[in-house]
Amino acid sequence: MSESTAFMSRALLQATAIVTTLALIPVATGAMAQVDTSTYRDLDEFMDVYNLVKANYVDPVDNKVLVKGAIQGMLAALDPHSSFADGVDYDNLRIQTEGSYGGLGLSVTMEDGAVKVIAPQEDTPAFRAGVKAGDYITRLNGKLLYGLTLDEAITEMRGKPGTRISLTLVRRGREKPIEVSLVREVIVQKPVKWDVKGDIGIININSFSERTGDYTRDAIVQIRKKLGHDPLGYIVDLRDNGGGLLNEAIEVSDTFLDHGEIVSQRGREKSDIQRYYARPGDFAKGLPIVVLINSGTASASEIVAGALQDHHRALVLGERSFGKGSVQSLLKLGPKTEVRLTTARYYTPSDRSVQEGGIDPDVPVPQLSDPDYKTRPVFREDDLRRHLINEAKVDNSVLEEDSKTDPRLSATPDELKKRNIDDFQLYYALQTIARLGGPTQVATIARLGTPVAVPPDPDAPPPPKPN
């Protein structure tokens, strides 16, 4: 969920609001659970509790409050990704796939009464101010947030574009709170951005919303147009991409594949398997691809990374992904009411489930340019209560143990900063492809680095007018 996308209803259960693969399809009547006579006996017990609350609770309780709470509790008992969306939650779900809003560009959840950042959306006020995943927002404009609902906190952070708001952040590893001042903007869902460094194309996919596949193919066209020729290769950046629409993940995978299975979706019954295949034609013409992933790469993003990795179409670089291998269907109940229900698991072409385990990079590369990367907590699917269990019982602890120090991964953030490298993982990926172009390309990337643009200070006085 986010200040921009509030999928989840409440608490840690909702921490997966942006971490999702959504199937925007109706569920067939035959797939609905059959109701037997024992169900009605269980419902009698529910009504007994309902009547006790109505008759004896210290304050009068509205029927809608009790019914909504019961629905949320029922879905929360299933897994962390099934939820009920109405009102603000419903509007936020629409925003995630198709809309825009005035705000800061933050994905947040509620944890133990505090607002926790899941991820900032790239190129938004929150991202440029340095807000990071795992930060806790404790105050807005000096007002303590504790005690507010998640919806109330999100409403406070949204507002008219151009208005200013201050956030007080608590970050693990920092002794004192961090104060940041931001100006709200119109946050538009921009699923794909592209850039060129040297002769290498960079495609940054930050969400899987409507037409992400089309935007990805257009990015390839624009990169070729800017260079005047084909690039040496492409970097597909899926870091901190929490997922989105299943069909768009398939479209993006198909952009880089010309044959074979992309993903399979498996429901309750053993025979309930749906497979998706690539169409003939690789839009990237078989050029080398590096896919960047990290712990925020989830669900639909893992489908893309897993498909390209299994077909040996791309080198996957970075850190182990989030590990969400389930599909949610959106079942409409009314004009502004939906149930988001887990209806299937998905598997990569090599028949592996990423549930809990995630996608392991072919080349593990930590984000050395981030001063907090060693102390900031990592948050993944297996940290969620009632998460689905991977039947293969994947254990990554041995894989993640590495007592040897790689001299290429020993630079400090300050040392990298002096070399104009603000994004070490991206720099590593660029140099990996640059080697295909020989010493000239390697030297070009070393000269360019990966500087992050510094936004102008809105409080700075305007420059003097020329005489």
Side-chain angles (χ1 to χ4, degrees):
M1 132 168 70
S2 103
E3 184 235 86
S4 73
T5 54
F7 286 90
M8 32 198 147
S9 292
R10 303 289 170 274
L12 190 57
L13 147 74
Q14 273 75 37
T16 57
I18 63 165
V19 181
T20 185
T21 304
L22 295 176
L24 296 177
I25 54 174
V27 172
T29 303
M32 304 297 282
Q34 294 182 353
V35 179
D36 55 30
T37 54
S38 65
T39 301
Y40 294 106
R41 287 194 291 269
D42 293 332
L43 288 175
D44 286 341
E45 185 175 19
F46 167 79
M47 287 305 301
D48 289 342
V49 175
Y50 176 88
N51 290 327
L52 284 173
V53 172
K54 288 288 290 182
N56 298 288
Y57 188 68
V58 62
D59 294 318
V61 184
D62 186 87
N63 289 337
K64 291 182 180 180
V65 172
L66 292 178
V67 171
K68 183 176 180 179
I71 293 172
Q72 291 172 338
M74 175 172 57
L75 294 170
L78 300 176
D79 64 73
H81 305 287
S82 295
S83 62
F84 177 71
D86 69 346
V88 173
D89 292 334
Y90 180 89
D91 292 337
N92 287 330
L93 187 55
R94 295 299 99 197
I95 285 171
Q96 193 258 354
T97 59
E98 60 195 35
S100 62
Y101 67 101
L104 307 177
L106 277 174
S107 299
V108 297
T109 185
M110 184 71 78
E111 184 176 290
D112 297 328
V115 177
K116 182 178 180 180
V117 175
I118 298 174
Q121 181 179 326
E122 188 168 352
D123 197 25
T124 62
F127 181 86
R128 294 191 293 269
V131 181
K132 297 181 180 180
D135 287 349
Y136 288 91
I137 303 173
T138 59
R139 294 177 182 270
L140 294 177
N141 289 331
K143 177 184 175 183
L144 190 65
L145 279 181
Y146 193 84
L148 294 183
T149 67
L150 188 58
D151 287 348
E152 290 169 338
I154 290 171
T155 301
E156 289 282 335
M157 285 186 279
R158 289 183 183 169
K160 184 179 179 180
T163 57
R164 183 173 293 277
I165 184 173
S166 64
L167 274 61
T168 303
L169 308 174
V170 172
R171 181 176 300 166
R172 183 174 295 184
R174 296 290 185 94
E175 293 183 1
K176 297 181 179 179
I178 303 168
E179 301 286 343
V180 294
S181 179
L182 306 91
V183 177
R184 296 180 179 93
E185 295 178 3
V186 175
I187 308 298
V188 180
Q189 302 301 307
K190 300 176 182 177
V192 179
K193 298 197 306 179
W194 64 272
D195 195 6
V196 170
K197 284 194 179 292
D199 281 345
I200 302 169
I202 302 170
I203 302 173
N204 185 334
I205 305 174
N206 56 67
S207 68
F208 287 90
S209 53
E210 290 181 353
R211 299 189 62 209
T212 297
D214 292 337
Y215 288 124
T216 300
R217 288 184 285 274
D218 182 67
I220 293 174
V221 171
Q222 296 304 321
I223 288 169
R224 290 174 182 156
K225 184 177 179 180
K226 181 170 183 177
L227 288 172
H229 53 78
D230 285 328
L232 282 174
Y234 297 96
I235 294 172
V236 179
D237 192 346
L238 297 176
R239 292 175 297 174
D240 294 320
N241 183 330
L245 302 177
L246 172 63
N247 64 304
E248 294 300 332
I250 293 168
E251 281 290 316
V252 170
S253 301
D254 193 14
T255 298
F256 301 104
L257 297 171
D258 65 359
H259 68 279
E261 183 176 304
I262 293 174
V263 66
S264 62
Q265 180 177 315
R266 309 183 190 184
R268 178 189 299 181
E269 306 298 333
K270 290 184 178 180
S271 60
D272 185 10
I273 301 178
Q274 189 168 1
R275 300 182 185 276
Y276 301 89
Y277 295 91
R279 296 163 295 192
D282 176 353
F283 205 77
K285 300 181 180 180
L287 291 171
I289 297 172
V290 171
V291 174
L292 285 174
I293 65 172
N294 64 7
S295 62
T297 302
S299 203
S301 300
E302 291 171 297
I303 288 176
V304 176
L308 299 186
Q309 186 181 56
D310 281 2
H311 284 288
H312 305 288
R313 180 64 185 89
L315 182 74
V316 178
L317 185 151
E319 300 160 292
R320 180 166 67 90
S321 64
F322 186 85
K324 179 185 173 294
S326 60
V327 177
Q328 283 68 48
S329 294
L330 295 179
L331 311 178
K332 204 166 185 66
L333 293 179
K336 294 192 69 173
T337 308
E338 286 180 332
V339 170
R340 190 166 64 117
L341 191 66
T342 300
T343 54
R345 289 179 171 88
Y346 72 78
Y347 292 78
T348 72
S350 64
D351 204 36
R352 58 178 169 149
S353 169
V354 303
Q355 182 64 25
E356 292 189 283
I359 299 288
D360 286 304
D362 300 306
V363 182
V365 178
Q367 185 61 307
L368 299 182
S369 50
D370 181 359
D372 301 312
Y373 90 92
K374 286 185 178 180
T375 57
R376 192 150 33 86
V378 176
F379 180 68
R380 291 190 173 97
E381 172 81 2
D382 53 11
D383 294 309
L384 301 177
R385 299 172 187 172
R386 293 183 292 278
H387 64 270
L388 296 180
I389 303 300
N390 188 327
E391 296 174 355
K393 301 186 186 305
V394 175
D395 182 4
N396 289 282
S397 59
V398 176
L399 295 173
E400 293 182 344
E401 282 185 10
D402 189 359
S403 58
K404 298 180 180 179
T405 301
D406 187 334
R408 296 170 298 177
L409 306 178
S410 59
T412 66
D414 288 339
E415 291 170 344
L416 293 171
K417 189 75 174 178
K418 292 177 182 177
R419 294 164 54 192
N420 211 23
I421 300 171
D422 292 337
D423 186 338
F424 180 74
Q425 290 174 329
L426 176 59
Y427 181 78
Y428 198 105
L430 285 165
Q431 286 287 23
T432 299
I433 295 180
R435 292 186 183 95
L436 301 174
T440 301
Q441 277 296 310
V442 172
T444 297
I445 296 303
R447 175 176 56 82
L448 293 174
T450 58
V452 175
V454 178
D457 183 356
D459 292 329
K465 294 181 179 181
N467 295 326

